[in-house]
Amino acid sequence: MSADAEPPSSQPPGPDVRLRVQRACAADDLPDDAQLATWVRSALAAAPARQGSTRLRAAVTLRIVDTGEGTALNQRYRGKPGPTNVLSFPFEPPAGLPPEALDDLGAELGDLVICAPVLRREAAAQGKTLAAHTAHLVVHGTLHLLGYDHQDAVEATAMEALESTILSGLGFATPYEVPEEPHDERSSA
């Protein structure tokens, strides 16, 4: 299916996801909360279990921000200037909590932050619909929350393949261009 195709409206089976969406900027043109939750659920359902557990429930907060907030967060947490498309903050329970409190927090997966102006700019530059690029960033960020990374070539290849599989299952084209030569650098969100 092409990147311009409309995503399917049915919810895939999988984990129970509680997605809290915070739209901290003008984002009426982005997919609705139900569609965002479907994409998180699809990533959770398709990702092989990490650390020996399968998530049946997950709570994620997705904050959609403007350039100013995106820049501040990227500088503060990554030490990099300017905004980036997606930031992932895996949940880490505070030290010293009693075990019974951790049971209540077990569903917390973490927070995602998407910078809407960067998302729009990248979608236009890559010739993708906002839905296709938003789905990619949500899936990419969710995989980061699950412990996936792309710091080296082996990790990047595995993560990109999983993202492509998930997005294909959602009716979107692969988000990565196939390199013409083995030494080409693939872009990554």
Side-chain angles (χ1 to χ4, degrees):
M1 188 176 289
S2 76
D4 292 331
E6 285 299 313
S9 60
S10 64
Q11 267 189 355
D16 175 28
V17 174
R18 186 178 78 231
L19 179 67
R20 298 169 298 250
V21 179
Q22 302 171 352
R23 294 178 190 260
C25 68
D28 293 340
D29 57 337
L30 298 185
D32 66 25
D33 296 1
Q35 190 64 65
L36 297 168
T38 295
W39 297 334
V40 170
R41 185 177 300 103
S42 294
L44 291 171
R50 298 287 245 197
Q51 301 167 347
S53 68
T54 301
R55 287 195 169 266
L56 299 176
R57 296 180 309 130
V60 175
T61 298
L62 170 59
R63 184 169 174 85
I64 301 170
V65 302
D66 61 13
T67 302
E69 187 172 346
T71 297
L73 291 169
N74 200 31
Q75 179 64 50
R76 179 174 181 185
Y77 292 102
R78 295 180 66 222
K80 296 187 177 189
T84 190
N85 52 15
V86 63
L87 292 168
S88 302
F89 299 96
F91 176 73
E92 294 181 20
L97 280 182
E100 60 273 12
L102 292 176
D103 289 342
D104 294 337
L105 296 173
E108 289 296 328
L109 190 57
D111 300 335
L112 297 175
V113 176
I114 291 179
C115 184
V118 173
L119 167 73
R120 289 182 190 106
R121 186 175 64 246
E122 288 178 349
Q126 296 171 21
K128 296 178 183 178
T129 64
L130 278 177
H133 197 45
T134 305
H136 178 213
L137 294 185
V138 168
V139 166
H140 183 89
T142 302
L143 292 178
H144 275 306
L145 294 179
L146 292 170
Y148 288 85
D149 213 334
H150 46 83
Q151 295 301 312
D152 64 43
V154 172
E155 288 178 338
T157 298
M159 187 171 176
E160 289 173 9
L162 184 54
E163 288 173 55
S164 294
T165 298
I166 294 165
L167 290 165
S168 176
L170 290 167
F172 295 109
T174 180
Y176 298 102
E177 294 179 1
V178 176
E180 293 178 18
E181 296 179 18
H183 300 294
D184 283 349
E185 301 256 346
R186 287 183 274 181
S187 65
S188 143

